[in-house]
Amino acid sequence: MESIANELVANVIRNFFVCLGTYCTIIKFTNKKQKAIIKTIFIILITSVLSALASKESGLISSLIVQILLISILYSFVIKVDIGYALIITAICLSINNIIYLIAIIFNYIINNFYNIQNNYINLLILILFYIFILYSVLKLKRIKNGISFLSGKLKNEYFNILILNISVIILFSFTIFTSSDINFISRIFFMVIIFSAIMFVTIQKSLQLYYKQKMLVKDLEETKEELENKKKEVEALEKENLEFSKISHSIAHKQKSLEHKLNELSMKSEIADELDIKDRIDDLSKNLMKETIVVLDKTGITEIDDMLSYMQSECVKNKIDFQLQLNGNIYTMINHHIDKEELEILLADHIKNAIIAIGYGDNVNKSILVRLGKIDGSYGLYVYDSGIEFEIETLLNLGKKPSTTHKDSGGTGMGFMNTFDTLRKHNASFIIEEYGKPVKDNFTKALKFKFNGKNEFKICSYREEEIKNKDRENCLIVEKLSL
């Protein structure tokens, strides 16, 4: 009876140090900080007693199951991780600690052979000292100074988890075989276990190599993905910069032509022309211009706007287009409260120029443009009517989204509408396109109406309502039948 009690006490002591070593190994491998030390030691002591009793009643396998479960619950509770992850980590670390314990048994066996120590407690003390020394040496290795990377985070590779778990279970099963009291059975499988251990060692080594290769591959892929994202952002930034530059260049081109036109007018009236020997050329140009009947436009009182309208009128004269201007209300109020002077100047230039191009592409005998500017239908706005060809439907669907033009050979860049939509969004203005019908000799074909009414609407009113809607599957434009 006394020998049974002594064996149980020895088993409890042995289990206590192995369980404590297992828990320390888990903390080290996962690179976590130790918490609740007193509670931890108390639970490990309970685990040692329960596992010793389980070993006595049901065998070593039951003891190992108790240790894995209770240590997993302890780790999950203290470190706040899920129980599945804790079970895998515990199985791995317990198998490692049992291997260390077996190595300590071998050393202890050698010492016993030399000194013939008969006291069981002294043997147990030497065994535990060997175990602690070997475990300490392993945990002090530089390679695991900051934990083991694939254990310190949540295990995400399911195949790798199963492999490691199976190896750990096999190691624990091997441990139960080695601690069996059946010497004949142990001797029969000794060499088989040695071969199996070698295979396990190679498997673990190859598994770790594959893991680190996979980790490097994932890292390279993430770096490549990040680099591609950065390049994509750079390209988008450059495209945006190029678009902004194109908008500015487009606007400057209109202003430049307007100033050139005004400079030509001034040169015609200047006495300096005689000294520069260009009088003859100016006289010829004046004669050509005088061949056309030029209507004197009403003045807005804003020099830049009047200059642009004058220049656009001259462009219409060159293309034999009748150009009319209607002013309503005070234009100063419009540029002070609804749109900047420069923006209105560019808006006029873009859409009168587009009207000239549209008329040039048609064969209508009616070539006319009407510009209405000021307070119209209760709100300030700009209306441009022309007798040219209608918009292509693809162009209508892309307005304001990307530069789109069907008249590249006539100098069209598509930037005019990009500038226009920027201006409209800035001032919450509305844009309505009205299409009246195909070109006829006694009416306009379409009108572009820019209303500064704070509604920020874009609407198409067209006789081609059904045709436009059939092609407009993604934009969801407001398209209505034009009622005349």
Side-chain angles (χ1 to χ4, degrees):
M1 190 72 175
E2 185 179 351
S3 62
I4 294 174
N6 289 338
E7 184 182 345
L8 183 61
V9 171
N11 215 354
V12 169
I13 294 171
R14 175 250 174 211
N15 288 345
F16 176 79
F17 282 99
V18 171
C19 290
L20 184 61
T22 299
Y23 191 78
C24 292
T25 306
I26 294 171
I27 296 297
K28 182 65 177 180
F29 280 8
T30 56
N31 199 25
K32 303 291 185 183
K33 290 184 178 179
Q34 174 59 40
K35 300 177 182 178
I37 296 174
I38 296 173
K39 288 182 181 179
T40 299
I41 293 173
F42 178 72
I43 293 172
I44 287 175
L45 181 59
I46 293 173
T47 303
S48 305
V49 173
L50 293 176
S51 62
L53 292 172
S55 176
K56 180 178 178 298
E57 296 296 329
S58 305
L60 191 56
I61 292 177
S62 300
S63 175
L64 291 173
I65 292 172
V66 170
Q67 290 175 18
I68 290 172
L69 287 175
L70 293 180
I71 294 173
S72 299
I73 293 169
L74 171 64
Y75 180 67
S76 176
F77 176 75
V78 174
I79 307 299
K80 308 298 182 186
V81 296
D82 62 82
I83 190 66
Y85 170 67
L87 281 168
I88 294 174
I89 296 295
T90 303
I92 293 169
C93 294
L94 184 59
S95 64
I96 291 170
N97 275 268
N98 278 305
I99 289 173
I100 293 172
Y101 188 77
L102 281 174
I103 295 170
I105 289 174
I106 293 170
F107 281 114
N108 187 50
Y109 177 76
I110 294 170
I111 294 294
N112 271 334
N113 277 344
F114 272 104
Y115 297 101
N116 194 23
I117 301 171
Q118 299 298 321
N119 189 302
N120 290 334
Y121 286 104
I122 295 175
N123 278 327
L124 180 60
L125 177 61
I126 295 171
L127 178 60
I128 290 172
L129 288 175
F130 272 124
Y131 166 75
I132 293 172
F133 174 76
I134 298 168
L135 177 61
Y136 179 81
S137 301
V138 170
L139 297 183
K140 281 296 180 180
L141 290 174
K142 289 184 179 179
R143 191 173 183 82
I144 59 173
K145 181 181 179 182
N146 297 314
I148 297 177
S149 55
F150 75 88
L151 294 178
S152 58
K154 283 210 171 184
L155 300 172
K156 296 180 181 178
N157 189 323
E158 297 298 332
Y159 295 108
F160 193 72
N161 294 353
I162 293 169
L163 175 64
I164 295 296
L165 186 59
N166 286 337
I167 291 171
S168 302
V169 170
I170 291 168
I171 291 171
L172 292 173
F173 179 70
S174 301
F175 176 75
T176 62
I177 293 173
F178 274 111
T179 55
S180 172
S181 58
D182 190 345
I183 303 300
N184 293 325
F185 177 70
I186 294 173
S187 63
R188 284 197 300 270
I189 67 166
F190 179 73
F191 290 105
M192 190 194 329
V193 171
I194 290 175
I195 294 170
F196 178 71
S197 300
I199 293 171
M200 280 197 303
F201 175 77
V202 172
T203 304
I204 292 171
Q205 185 184 36
K206 294 296 181 184
S207 299
L208 288 173
Q209 287 176 354
L210 286 172
Y211 171 78
Y212 286 115
K213 284 181 181 178
Q214 183 186 14
K215 187 177 179 182
M216 291 301 296
L217 180 62
V218 170
K219 184 180 178 182
D220 289 341
L221 286 172
E222 288 177 350
E223 288 176 354
T224 303
K225 185 179 178 181
E226 185 179 355
E227 187 176 345
L228 285 173
E229 286 295 326
N230 291 335
K231 292 293 181 185
K232 186 178 178 182
K233 288 178 182 178
E234 288 179 14
V235 170
E236 288 175 352
L238 289 172
E239 286 179 348
K240 186 177 179 181
E241 185 178 338
N242 184 52
L243 185 63
E244 292 299 322
F245 179 75
S246 298
K247 290 179 182 178
I248 294 169
S249 300
H250 182 82
S251 301
I252 291 173
H254 284 314
K255 290 184 178 181
Q256 182 182 6
K257 290 177 181 177
S258 174
L259 291 172
E260 286 175 354
H261 174 70
K262 186 168 186 178
L263 183 60
N264 288 335
E265 287 183 336
L266 292 173
S267 297
M268 290 171 141
K269 299 175 182 178
S270 175
E271 295 178 358
I272 301 175
D274 293 328
E275 299 178 12
L276 295 177
D277 198 24
I278 59 171
K279 189 175 185 305
D280 292 337
R281 280 193 296 155
I282 292 175
D283 289 342
D284 291 339
L285 182 61
S286 298
K287 288 176 183 177
N288 290 331
L289 289 173
M290 291 303 293
K291 289 179 183 178
E292 304 291 341
T293 302
I294 301 176
V295 178
V296 177
L297 300 176
D298 292 337
K299 300 296 181 182
T300 64
I302 303 163
T303 304
E304 291 83 356
I305 303 298
D306 290 334
D307 289 345
M308 183 59 74
L309 288 168
S310 176
Y311 166 64
M312 285 299 160
Q313 183 189 35
S314 70
E315 290 294 301
C316 288
V317 170
K318 289 179 187 176
N319 291 276
K320 296 182 172 58
I321 297 171
D322 177 41
F323 181 79
Q324 297 180 46
L325 173 67
Q326 292 181 4
L327 299 179
N328 300 292
N330 190 336
I331 307 304
Y332 277 103
T333 302
M334 184 174 178
I335 65 169
N336 286 332
H337 298 285
H338 300 284
I339 183 173
D340 295 340
K341 177 173 60 178
E342 291 78 10
E343 292 170 338
L344 179 58
E345 183 183 359
I346 298 305
L347 203 61
L348 285 164
D350 280 332
H351 297 290
I352 296 174
K353 184 67 176 177
N354 286 345
I356 294 171
I357 293 173
I359 291 171
Y361 269 85
D363 53 4
N364 192 359
V365 293
N366 174 22
K367 297 185 177 183
S368 55
I369 294 174
L370 168 63
V371 174
R372 299 176 67 191
L373 180 63
K375 195 165 188 177
I376 311 167
D377 300 331
S379 60
Y380 280 93
L382 166 64
Y383 293 9
V384 180
Y385 301 79
D386 71 74
S387 59
I389 61 172
E390 63 232 332
F391 286 103
E392 289 191 4
I393 293 177
E394 290 298 323
T395 303
L396 282 175
L397 299 181
N398 289 323
L399 287 181
K401 295 180 179 178
K402 60 181 180 179
S404 178
T405 180
T406 53
H407 311 308
K408 287 184 179 179
D409 53 341
S410 301
T413 63
M415 297 309 301
F417 273 106
M418 297 299 291
N419 280 333
T420 295
F421 274 85
D422 286 345
T423 301
L424 295 175
R425 280 190 286 266
K426 179 180 176 182
H427 299 288
N428 284 324
S430 297
F431 177 30
I432 301 169
I433 297 176
E434 294 183 355
E435 292 185 333
Y436 305 117
K438 293 187 179 295
V440 290
K441 64 180 180 179
D442 58 355
N443 196 10
F444 296 108
T445 57
K446 64 178 181 291
L448 275 62
K449 298 183 176 182
F450 307 97
K451 297 183 177 182
F452 297 92
N453 55 9
K455 294 183 179 180
N456 194 23
E457 294 178 335
F458 174 36
K459 187 163 60 175
I460 299 171
C461 302
S462 174
Y463 71 96
R464 299 183 294 165
E465 177 193 20
E466 293 303 322
E467 187 181 353
I468 295 170
K469 282 184 176 179
N470 287 337
K471 288 194 176 183
D472 180 28
R473 300 297 182 189
E474 298 178 358
N475 298 277
C476 298
L477 297 175
I478 301 173
V479 183
E480 299 176 351
K481 182 75 174 177
L482 186 64
S483 54
L484 298 175

